[in-house]
Amino acid sequence: MSVRRPDRPADRAEADRLLDAARAGARGTAGGVPPDPLTDLLAAAAAPAGAHELAGEGAALAAFRAARAAPAPTPAPAPAPRRRRLTARALAWAAGVLATATAGAAFAAVTLERPPTPAPSPTPVSPGPGSDHPDGSPTDGTPGGEPGGGSPSPAPTVSPSPAATGTPSGAPAPDDVAGLCRAYLAKKPTQRDKALTTPGFQPLVEAAGGAGQVEAYCEERAAEPTATPDDADGSDKSDGTGNGSGKGKGPVNGNGSGNGSVNGNGSVNGNGPVNGGAPKQDTSKANGNGGDAAPPGRSNGSGNPNAPGSGNGRGSGDGEAPGNRSGGAPGRGDGGHLPA
Amino acid sequence: MTRELSEAVEAARAGDEDAFRFLYRTLQPGLLRYLTALVGGDAEDVASETWLQIARDLPSFTGGEFRAWTVTIARNRAMDHLRRQRRRPSLPVPVQALSDLAGDADTAERAGETIGTEAAIALIATLPQREAEAVLLRAVIGLDAETAGRVLGRRAGAVRTAAHRGLRRLAAMLERDDRRSAAATEGAPPRPRGDLRRQAPHAEPADG
């Protein structure tokens, strides 16, 4: 079949020999006729440089001079740049987690130290980290955000956001004052004055310009569209249900969500995801449509938060409002797992 | 040679421009040929990028085989280039071109006498990429199998096997050229690609 076979490398050792010979420059040693086409091919591939191959010398030298003039701050060796990128990303991630954890712990500490106030429940939607206080008779998930009824407890552990409160004024509370106003108006008249003496209501007092002005101030604010039901058709009967759940996992992340619905002449749905790192942040969203389930209302809450370390808070509240309004809001808070 | 090279590396790191020029003249041909097999006509551009990085990162070179260090940079630049082009790095030359090249009378003639460097690199570039890289790193860059394995991220044994296969394949191509020219002189019909296909089982069929 084959007339003539050129020498082929019989094994790897032979191949190694050929490859090494190529580098050593075996060509031409046979003088004229090359002994083996393969050897010749390899020798040609390893031949000395042609002039055109060195055309980039000037540019390379310029690069060399430039590098000497301004040495790179962090000269990166070529191999394994990917790993470094990965490490950097991991470091950034860890730093983010640490920052979040620190913020959560700080907030938890603040919450724990806060004096027992009638809890401006709807506004400071406090996520998990706060759920550690003892017997936190959670006002979570109370429709109408009614803190007064059952629980003058410390700040709500997981207050399921305005939406869960069942207030048709589902718009996120713009600031503390609006929430304080609602809390204030939710109180019985006999309790109002007393409430204003607590530190928690001081922002409201200041905003109103004095303790005596608060009522007028809040009523004025309540007249604003965001604080009033969209549909006030006079029906005074509504059923409100609210669900609030909050989860705080360690001091790192806190999640809270609340759902509230009011049936009667409307329904309110709200979802409030809350991030633990930003206590003031209230990202709840609610669509309100009729149904005045706003305060006053009453809520009964029970909570069984465990001691710090790992806290689970579960609260269920039933709110009953005058005028046949009723709202039920089970709230669940689970959080405050402090690093053991 | 190796000692000369390492002395030049030290001098260049100290800022000696002549030493850097020596490094360039010594290493650039091999790098350029290796890059030609990897990225084809863009080899000059990639080689420029490579030398830019070599000049910049020279202070961070911590010893070891300088050829391997430079060829690793070149290979990374080539892979980046190919990634930019969204092109697969393997088999840069289609098999059809392979048979055309191998069947070229000039190639055969040159192979029989004195093959040019470019033709030799072009022929090696027709190998599957693993084999082509193994052959080039061993024969052209001048690395041993262990060092080439480190550059390629493979074991030395795998590099030896790939180089061996590549050489066998190259020998088969050359033989085929040789036989074709011999058959042409005798007037007998040349054997078409069947022989090549048997010798190169990894290659795609030339035509459907």
Side-chain angles (χ1 to χ4, degrees), chain A residues 183-206:
Chain A
Y184 175 79
L185 291 174
K187 293 191 175 311
K188 291 174 183 162
T190 54
Q191 292 177 333
R192 290 184 177 177
D193 287 340
K194 191 185 168 194
L196 290 181
T197 63
T198 60
F201 276 86
Q202 285 316 300
L204 178 60
V205 174
E206 284 168 20

Side-chain angles (χ1 to χ4, degrees), chain A residues 208-220:
Chain A
Q213 321 269 339
V214 169
E215 191 166 347
Y217 174 80
C218 282
E219 277 169 2
E220 188 183 329

Side-chain angles (χ1 to χ4, degrees), chain B residues 4 15 22 35 38 45-46 48 51 62 66 75 84 89 91 102 105 120 122 124 130 133 143 151 172 189 195 200 204:
Chain B
E4 205 178 355
F22 172 79
L35 289 173
L38 288 181
D45 291 342
V46 179
S48 295
W51 281 102
T62 54
F66 189 70
R75 189 169 194 269
R84 279 200 297 272
L91 269 181
I124 293 172
R130 289 185 162 216
E133 285 195 86
L143 303 179
V151 170
D195 200 27
E204 301 278 334

